[in-house]
């Protein structure tokens, strides 16, 4: 079964760079596969991030805690996505994000410091990293930020569902509402209207 998960991982990596067998082995050597339980906290905001998580199966949520205990869901990630507290990985400071499994999940943990060593040694890993950052930190992030400002709640919900098929049947609605910056009641109204 592990080999199937690593095959899945390799196929997603190909979107950014197609590693040859030797380099993919180098990448595999700095990872491990782990099952995590629903509600398990992978990272809290009192810890330094060490890993990037590739989701083979399951859903992860990244969220901030406000001063008065309010929760702000930054992202919801399902299969074939990478999740991490990237700021903490880069700065080596405590994370301001929490990462939680919303389902029983199977993850590949990638050791970030060891990945940085691969970047220093091999251009292929540098190319992969740049392509990943450009697509996800520049293009996708900018589109999402513009959507939050310009789009109404219905459009934001439709875009979210398009990018995350079936996720709404797998997690509590209040997580989706929180991520979209609306109340669960508003989300319920939007879903009713769209299902007519």
């Amino acid at each position: 079964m592990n080999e199937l998960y690593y095959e899945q991982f390799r196929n997603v990596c190909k979107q950014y760079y197609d590693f040859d067998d030797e380099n993919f082995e180098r990448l595999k050597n700095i990872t491990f596969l782990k099952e995590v339980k629903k509600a398990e906290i992978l990272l809290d905001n009192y810890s330094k991030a060490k890993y990037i998580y590739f989701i083979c199966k399951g859903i992860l949520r990244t969220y901030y805690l406000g001063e008065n205990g309010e929760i702000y869901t930054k992202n919801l990630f399902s299969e074939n996505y990478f999740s991490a507290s990237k700021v903490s990985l880069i700065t080596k400071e405590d994370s301001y994000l929490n990462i939680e499994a919303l389902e029983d999940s199977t993850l590949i943990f990638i050791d970030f410091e060891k990945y940085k060593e691969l970047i220093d040694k091999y251009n292929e890993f540098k190319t992969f990293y740049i392509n990943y950052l450009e697509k996800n930190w520049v293009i996708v992030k900018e589109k999402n930020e513009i959507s939050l400002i310009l789009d109404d709640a219905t459009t934001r919900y439709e875009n979210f569902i398009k990018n995350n098929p079936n996720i709404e049947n797998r997690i509590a609605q209040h997580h989706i509402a929180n991520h979209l910056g609306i109340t669960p009641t508003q989300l319920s109204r939007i879903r009713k209207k769209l299902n007519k």
Side-chain angles (χ1 to χ4, degrees):
M1 192 62 176
N2 287 9
E3 282 312 306
L4 284 176
Y5 287 133
Y6 275 100
E7 203 176 302
Q8 177 186 353
F9 176 50
R10 187 171 188 174
N11 284 332
V12 172
C13 287
K14 281 179 185 172
Q15 295 172 26
Y16 309 103
Y17 187 84
D18 192 359
F19 292 113
D20 61 24
D21 290 347
E22 192 180 358
N23 277 316
F24 188 69
E25 275 307 307
R26 287 189 177 109
L27 181 58
K28 264 179 85 173
N29 288 338
I30 61 160
T31 71
F32 60 90
L33 191 73
K34 189 178 175 189
E35 308 276 338
V36 298
K37 291 286 177 206
K38 181 178 179 175
E40 190 172 322
I41 302 292
L42 294 156
L43 179 71
D44 62 40
N45 56 346
Y46 305 106
S47 307
K48 293 175 179 62
K50 287 169 56 180
Y51 301 106
I52 297 169
Y53 310 102
F54 174 76
I55 306 165
C56 301
K57 197 177 76 173
I59 298 173
L60 299 183
R61 168 173 80 126
T62 58
Y63 65 93
Y64 306 107
L65 283 175
E67 285 178 20
N68 302 315
E70 323 90 324
I71 290 175
Y72 302 98
T73 299
K74 182 177 184 281
N75 276 309
L76 296 163
F77 295 109
S78 56
E79 288 81 8
N80 300 322
Y81 280 93
F82 294 90
S83 176
S85 175
K86 295 176 194 79
V87 171
S88 177
L89 288 171
I90 292 165
T91 63
K92 299 183 174 66
E93 294 171 358
D94 287 353
S95 175
Y96 56 90
L97 273 180
N98 299 274
I99 302 180
E100 173 193 20
L102 294 183
E103 289 184 334
D104 289 349
S105 301
T106 305
L107 309 173
I108 291 173
F109 285 55
I110 305 159
D111 185 309
F112 185 70
E113 279 307 303
K114 289 181 180 164
Y115 186 78
K116 293 292 286 282
E117 288 170 20
L118 289 176
I119 286 175
D120 291 339
K121 280 188 192 168
Y122 306 101
N123 280 333
E124 293 86 347
F125 291 95
K126 201 176 286 174
T127 303
F128 175 87
Y129 193 55
I130 290 166
N131 290 346
Y132 177 81
L133 291 179
E134 283 181 348
K135 183 175 179 190
N136 294 287
W137 275 29
V138 180
I139 299 168
V140 173
K141 191 169 185 280
E142 190 170 285
K143 282 180 179 173
N144 288 344
E145 285 167 354
I146 290 167
S147 172
L148 279 173
I149 296 163
L150 297 181
D151 293 337
D152 61 24
T154 303
T155 306
R156 290 202 308 273
Y157 171 72
E158 287 175 319
N159 287 337
F160 174 76
I161 295 306
K162 188 173 82 184
N163 294 325
N164 301 275
N166 297 323
I167 200 169
E168 63 182 327
N169 304 317
R170 295 167 61 184
I171 62 172
Q173 294 305 298
H174 67 88
H175 291 315
I176 296 172
N178 190 269
H179 172 58
L180 296 173
I182 59 177
T183 66
T185 308
Q186 283 174 293
L187 178 59
S188 186
R189 283 197 203 110
I190 289 166
R191 293 182 72 200
K192 265 189 197 138
K193 195 171 83 179
L194 292 173
N195 289 332
K196 275 184 182 174

